[in-house]
Structures are given as C-alpha cells and as structure tokens.
Amino acid sequence: MTTTTAQPTVTPTALTSVVPIVPGFHPDPSICRVGDDYYLANSSFEYAPGVPLWHSRDLLTWTLVGNILDRPDQFLAGHASPYGGVYAPTLRHHDGRFWLITTDVSAGRPGQLVVSAEDPSGPWTAPMFLEGLQGIDPDLAWDADGTCYVTFCSNGPEGPGIAQARVDLEAGTVLETPRRLWSGTGLAHPEAPHLYRRGEYWYLIIAEGGTERGHSVSVARADRPEGPYAGAPANPVLSHRSTTHPVQNTGHADLVENADGSWSVVYLGVRPRGATPMFHVNGRETFLAGIDWVDGWPVVDEGRYLRPVPDTSYTDAFDADELHPRWASPGAGLSEIAEARPGGGLRLRRGDGPRADFGFLTARTLDPAWRFEADLGVSRGSGALLLRLDDTHWCEVRADAGQVSAVVRIGPLEATLGTTATLTGSSVTLRAEALGPTTGGPDDVRLSAVVDGKEHELTRFDGRYLSTEVAGGFTGRVVGLRTLDGTVDVAEVRYTALPTDQAV
C-alpha cells in the first residue's frame, strides 16, 4: 500500500506560541533526545496501530515516523472499547536502546507493558508485562548504577497517588513492593509522573487537578529517587485554569535536556471554542515551552518557542508500498479492512471480530477548520465517509442503495438529517467539513457530496455534539471511511486545512 503526501508548508502568519507542535488527538506526550535527534510518543487509546512516534531536529517541526505498537502481539486491534486501550506512555533512551512503557487497560492482564528497540523506526520487541504495578501512566528512570525505577499512578494496595518500585527490565520482574511517593499539592487526580536527575536532586513532575480545565503541572524534588520529596514553593508550575488563555487543560508534562544544556517541556492542552462552557473537538494536543531553572526549580517559559501556523494539508492516492502511519482504526487491523489496488488506490471491506462495525480507516483531524473528501467507487458495494468521536458520537455521508444521505448519531439518537441526493453512477465524491460556527458551538459540521460534478449539501449542524464536553472521554475527532456492504474502491482522499477565519 502506498501514500502520496503533499510536502508540509507554512503559511505567512504571525509567529505564535499557542500552536501545538503535534496537532490533533495526540495527548500525553513523552519526549527523549539522542544526540541532535528528538523523539516523541503519544497515547492512542482504542486506535490501532498504537502509540504514534515522531522525530524532530528543532523541537518545532515533527515528522510522523510510525507507530510503536504496530503488530497484533503488541496491541490487538478491536479489543479495546472507547476510552480503553493504550494510555499514557513514557519514551526513554538508555544504554543505546529505546524503551517505551505504557498501560494497555484492555489487555486482559495486569501490569505495565514494556517494549524496546535499537532503532526507533523498529522493529520493537514483543511486549513484556511488569506485574504487580497496578495503575497507569508509568515512567522509567535509571540511577547512575543502572538501577531502574518505575514510577506510576497507583490504583493498587499501596493506595491512590504516585507510587514507585525498582524493576529488572531484562528479566521483566518487579524487585520490591511499590511504595508511595509525593502525590501533589492536594488537587484531584495526581497522575502522569516523570522522574529526572539534575545536579544533586531528583525531580518528580506530575499532573494534578484532573485532565479537564483544572489540569496543572506540579514538581517536587528529593536527594534520592525513593524520596522523601518536597514540593516547589511556586506549584503549580504550569496551569491555565480560570484564565482566558486560548490553550486550556494544560498538563501531563515531560522535560528534556537539550544538547546545549538548556531544557524544554512538552505538555498536552486543548483549544476550546464557542459559547460557555466552550468545547474542544480535536482532542488533547501536544504543546512546547522552555524551562528556566531558578533557585533549583523549573520555571516554564511559554513564550520561548514561537512558530507559524503550519499547513497540515495532504493528498493520499494510496500508491506507495505501505499505508502512511497517519491511518488507524478503532475496530479492526488495517490489513483486515484495506487492500492495495494495482496501480494505486485502496479496496475497503468490512472487518471481522467483536467490533467489526467499527472497522474504519481513519486519520486524526488537525485543525480548527478543515475539509476532508474522498473519491469512491461503489459498483461492488456501499460505503461512507465518517467523522467520529466515539461509538455513539459520529456522523457520516453514506453512498448506499442509489442515493447519498447524511446520518448523525448523538448518544442513543441516530437519524438521517437534511436532504438526500440520487446516485446516478458508480462513482461519487463524499465530503465533510468543519467550518465557522453559526449557533454558539465550536464549529459547524457540514456534510455534502459531489455527484456528476454537482455539489449537494446534505446537512449542517452544531459541532458541539461531536465534542469531548458532550461525549466525554479522552480522545478527539477522527475522519475516514468505512464499507457498509460489499467492497468499496477508494481512488484518493484529500485533507485541506482551511483558513483560520473560517473557524471563528
């Protein structure tokens, strides 16, 4: 399978610090540096392949290298329901090897999942599970003598909060009963720990306050990895709660030391829009800031890194040997549902397994305003272009039974909205757009189709109904394709980032 991708460009807009370095549903960033190369991993929840992996030389422009959990023995597509699957990872490089630790909450066995690789492009090993560490958000850190510590958000017998234990990664064993560490300033849900050695101190970074508007970053330090830890006098060191800042829910931070000795931090945030309480639709995204060390404590400099708004547009004719790593599915392995066609394009079919109905070929939406369209051949079946947040919050344009229609699902309610169009031949272009709001939501979702060269608007509705504030959960919108019956041929898809003024 192949991919033709437009080269990324940037628009001549003013530099800004509120543009994510990795836009769209890419939460829980973890970063490491090897020489002049930076690598960043994100959580992926129910979507397979799992854990997107990015590379950069300047911290500002990132290229999607692949997905770390890209085989069934690492993460089984379709076994995780919405908000299950792969939670926050930690990516580290130690003794010439890359290590990734994360939690697959739907794996059916307890413990933290660990894989490793000599080359970040893979192959990554089959997973081992560190059993006895009950919880999420695991971190890896090594002492000077090679002792490895896993620090995590516990839901085990040691009690809630941040816990830690020494482990043997070669043997895949936990060497001691986990102990509780410092668990924040008293805010809700202390989580997302990362541990670092700098100078004479060990620093423990955590998130607290919940991953919604109260999200924040706090820090403590100790003389040794086991503690005891004392909190910074200026905690939280990063939070946008109760402000009008355009980026909210800031938290889940990971520090990195740069080659010149300076420090930076990646963290997640959202870009809510619309009327109160405001709504975010593209999920939690990855942002970047600088770090200054003042009196032995990290101080976040949000204005250090400025960048123009990038053009995230792409065209995919599926004419390369493999699918681009942007594509993922919440319900089936990609090889189950997508087959390369000679000369280019894809043939889509329904998947098997317990979540076959959700075997979609999807990619994350990346911008406040965008257009996604697909050229389909439906002579052998029927298909749809869909915009999805979860199993019960989605919409799609269907080419089925000689007509094109728009279907919207919000919770238990599913209905055909707007008008329909007659499908006169075996090919059609289906389209979804996120445009400026007309009713106080974050945007309007517009669904349409082009039949015999003529565009038919089918429906337009308030995008808040496909927002996290309505649906809940931890993911963001994805857009893609599925087969309703038989097989469907995909000649080309086009994702276009629209001007920012179309999103306000």
Side-chain angles (χ1 to χ4, degrees), residues 352-371:
D352 298 321
R355 302 192 71 225
D357 286 348
F358 303 101
F360 314 135
L361 179 71
T362 65
R364 293 155 173 87
T365 58
L366 307 173
D367 302 277
W370 51 265
R371 175 185 301 117

Side-chain angles (χ1 to χ4, degrees), residues 21-332:
I21 57 170
V22 183
F25 155 45
H26 292 104
D28 306 323
S30 181
I31 190 171
C32 70
R33 179 181 62 85
V34 183
D36 294 327
D37 296 288
Y38 295 91
Y39 297 93
L40 185 147
N42 298 104
S43 57
S44 49
F45 294 87
E46 63 179 313
Y47 288 87
V51 188
L53 178 66
W54 303 81
H55 171 258
S56 177
R57 281 292 185 95
D58 61 6
L59 286 172
L60 292 172
T61 54
W62 293 83
T63 300
L64 182 59
V65 175
N67 296 278
I68 292 176
L69 304 183
D70 61 358
R71 304 192 310 268
D73 66 317
Q74 297 170 320
F75 178 64
L76 184 61
H79 83 284
S81 60
Y83 322 132
V86 178
Y87 276 29
T90 294
L91 179 68
R92 295 291 183 258
H93 187 264
H94 177 73
D95 274 353
R97 194 166 188 86
F98 290 88
W99 295 88
L100 182 115
I101 185 168
T102 188
T103 316
D104 179 358
V105 302
S106 307
R109 59 180 296 179
Q112 308 302 327
L113 182 156
V114 181
V115 294
S116 65
E118 294 183 0
D119 188 322
S121 63
W124 291 75
T125 61
M128 63 179 176
F129 286 84
L130 296 173
E131 299 186 0
L133 306 180
Q134 298 180 35
I136 59 172
D137 299 357
D139 172 77
L140 288 173
W142 288 264
D143 205 344
D145 64 3
T147 301
C148 183
Y149 296 86
V150 173
T151 307
F152 61 103
C153 175
S154 170
N155 57 22
E158 60 274 6
I162 307 303
Q164 183 190 79
R166 294 179 301 119
V167 304
D168 183 337
L169 287 183
E170 299 300 326
T173 57
V174 177
L175 301 178
E176 60 185 337
T177 300
R179 61 185 156 271
R180 294 193 65 186
L181 296 185
W182 180 79
S183 289
T185 64
L187 298 179
H189 306 301
E191 59 185 356
H194 288 302
L195 190 63
Y196 319 86
R197 177 68 181 267
R198 181 182 182 272
E200 60 182 307
Y201 291 114
W202 286 85
Y203 289 86
L204 177 64
I205 296 281
I206 73 165
E208 55 179 337
T211 196
E212 299 79 30
R213 296 294 190 268
H215 213 29
S216 59
V217 177
S218 296
V219 60
R221 70 186 185 192
D223 296 326
R224 58 197 191 104
E226 299 90 342
Y229 284 86
N235 276 328
V237 296
L238 175 63
S239 181
H240 291 167
R241 63 191 185 200
S242 301
T243 71
T244 58
H245 197 285
V247 179
Q248 290 291 323
N249 302 27
T250 51
H252 207 113
D254 195 12
L255 304 183
V256 63
E257 184 177 7
N258 304 317
D260 62 1
S262 64
W263 287 69
S264 304
V265 60
V266 293
Y267 59 96
L268 66 79
V270 304
R271 294 181 285 176
R273 293 171 289 149
T276 299
M278 304 183 73
F279 307 88
H280 74 280
V281 298
N282 287 337
R284 300 173 297 166
E285 306 174 288
T286 294
F287 293 82
L288 173 72
I291 291 289
D292 294 319
W293 292 91
V294 179
D295 297 328
W297 294 104
V299 176
V300 178
D301 177 4
E302 295 185 67
R304 178 173 302 173
Y305 296 104
L306 303 178
R307 68 191 299 243
V309 177
D311 183 358
T312 59
S313 304
Y314 61 84
T315 295
D316 200 334
F318 305 103
D319 53 3
D321 293 335
E322 296 181 348
L323 280 174
H324 190 282
R326 71 169 65 91
W327 298 107
S329 173

